[in-house]
């Protein structure tokens, strides 16, 4: 993650659904959001291209549709935000290191599942099963996002449901807020399960610098 004033930030989740969850900072359950990276349809479109949710052809189709019908762009952004928050509400209670704000969580897990189910059902209705040409594996391809207007949220909710169904909970972690992290979720695929930070270059380094400063102050060592 980078400082919240930056418009570009690290992609660290290890899955598109977690990358979506991490488009706000900090990530603390029930707390207010200080910075949202998806505040406009244009930001959503650029982010989707960056995480390779869409290719250049998809980008052109979505951008053209949204430009000609801005109300559809706003609707897609709203759907994406709903998917993002519902996904977080489902995953965060099971993520090692996730923090709940003092005022608690206002949305129930049951409501989050219901919101995802409704979005998933709509996305499935807009998907197509097309016979494939490959002979080594499978005989058909599931095409998600046949409607450019809702292509991005459709693919995101499909990704979210896939992750919820298959995630190895021992790998699901949150960057530790109590130690100066941002709360972003990520999959720890390290061999020994030792990854602690969303990115060592960002939150991990800042935490080390802060602790070093605290030790110096405690021992009376002057700051440089």
């Amino acid at each position: 993650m980078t400082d919240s004033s930056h418009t570009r930030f690290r992609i660290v989740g290890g899955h598109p659904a977690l990358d979506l969850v991490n488009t706000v900072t900090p990530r603390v359950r029930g707390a207010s959001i200080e910075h949202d990276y998806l505040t406009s349809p244009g930001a959503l479109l650029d982010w989707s291209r960056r995480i390779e949710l869409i290719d250049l052809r998809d980008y052109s189709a979505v951008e053209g549709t949204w430009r000609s019908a801005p109300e559809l762009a706003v609707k897609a952004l709203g759907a994406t935000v709903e998917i993002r928050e519902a996904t977080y509400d489902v995953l965060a209670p099971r993520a090692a290191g996730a923090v709940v704000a003092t005022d608690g969580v206002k949305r129930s897990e049951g409501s989050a599942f219901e919101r995802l189910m409704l979005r998933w059902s709509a996305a499935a209705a807009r998907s197509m099963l097309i016979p494939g040409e490959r002979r080594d594996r499978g005989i058909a391809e599931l095409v998600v996002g046949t409607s450019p207007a809702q292509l991005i949220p459709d693919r995101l909710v499909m990704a979210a449901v896939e992750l919820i169904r298959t995630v190895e909970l021992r790998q699901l972690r949150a960057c530790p807020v109590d130690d100066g992290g941002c709360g972003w979720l990520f999959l720890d695929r390290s061999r020994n399960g030792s990854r602690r930070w969303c990115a060592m270059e960002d939150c991990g380094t800042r935490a080390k610098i802060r602790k070093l400063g605290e030790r110096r102050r405690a021992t009376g060592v002057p700051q440089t």
Side-chain angles (χ1 to χ4, degrees):
M1 155 190 167
T2 62
D3 185 84
S4 61
S5 64
H6 294 163
T7 57
R8 288 178 64 82
F9 53 98
R10 294 185 185 274
I11 302 300
V12 299
H15 190 281
L18 296 182
D19 294 331
L20 174 64
V21 163
N22 296 341
T23 56
V24 299
T25 189
R27 258 306 181 190
V28 178
R29 298 191 71 218
S32 60
I33 294 171
E34 292 182 8
H35 189 82
D36 190 331
Y37 293 94
L38 300 182
T39 56
S40 69
L44 172 59
L45 190 59
D46 290 341
W47 171 84
S48 299
R49 182 75 176 102
R50 186 180 173 206
I51 68 164
E52 299 181 348
L53 182 75
I54 59 175
D55 58 22
L56 187 57
R57 182 176 179 180
D58 296 327
Y59 184 101
S60 297
V62 174
E63 194 276 335
T65 300
W66 287 2
R67 185 175 63 252
S68 62
E71 70 279 5
L72 296 180
V74 173
K75 184 178 178 181
L77 178 62
T80 297
V81 170
E82 183 179 60
I83 294 163
R84 178 182 72 185
E85 299 309 311
T87 301
Y88 181 70
D89 289 343
V90 169
L91 294 175
R94 296 163 175 81
V99 174
V100 179
T102 54
D103 60 351
V105 179
K106 298 178 177 60
R107 298 180 297 271
S108 70
E109 183 180 283
S111 170
F113 271 107
E114 182 178 358
R115 283 176 280 146
L116 283 175
M117 182 188 69
L118 292 174
R119 291 292 180 186
W120 177 85
S121 298
R126 288 188 287 265
S127 301
M128 295 179 62
L129 191 64
I130 300 176
E133 299 294 332
R134 295 173 58 185
R135 297 182 180 180
D136 58 334
R137 181 182 176 185
I139 57 176
E141 177 184 2
L142 180 63
V143 179
V144 178
T146 59
S147 169
Q150 290 293 312
L151 184 152
I152 291 175
D154 281 358
R155 290 186 181 174
L156 287 170
V157 75
M158 287 292 191
V161 170
E162 180 266 341
L163 177 65
I164 290 168
R165 288 181 54 249
T166 62
V167 64
E168 294 186 42
L169 292 180
R170 64 181 178 82
Q171 295 183 342
L172 184 61
R173 298 181 180 274
C175 189
V177 173
D178 290 342
D179 289 331
C182 61
W184 282 7
L185 303 187
F186 59 88
L187 295 178
D188 177 9
R189 295 193 176 103
S190 62
R191 181 172 298 179
N192 58 358
S194 61
R195 180 179 168 188
R196 191 179 183 203
W197 307 98
C198 66
M200 191 63 213
E201 303 92 324
D202 290 317
C203 288
T205 298
R206 285 198 299 272
K208 284 189 173 184
I209 293 173
R210 187 187 70 254
K211 288 182 179 180
L212 178 60
E214 291 173 352
R215 286 197 298 268
R216 285 178 172 174
R217 286 191 294 272
T219 58
V221 176
Q223 300 288 316
T224 57

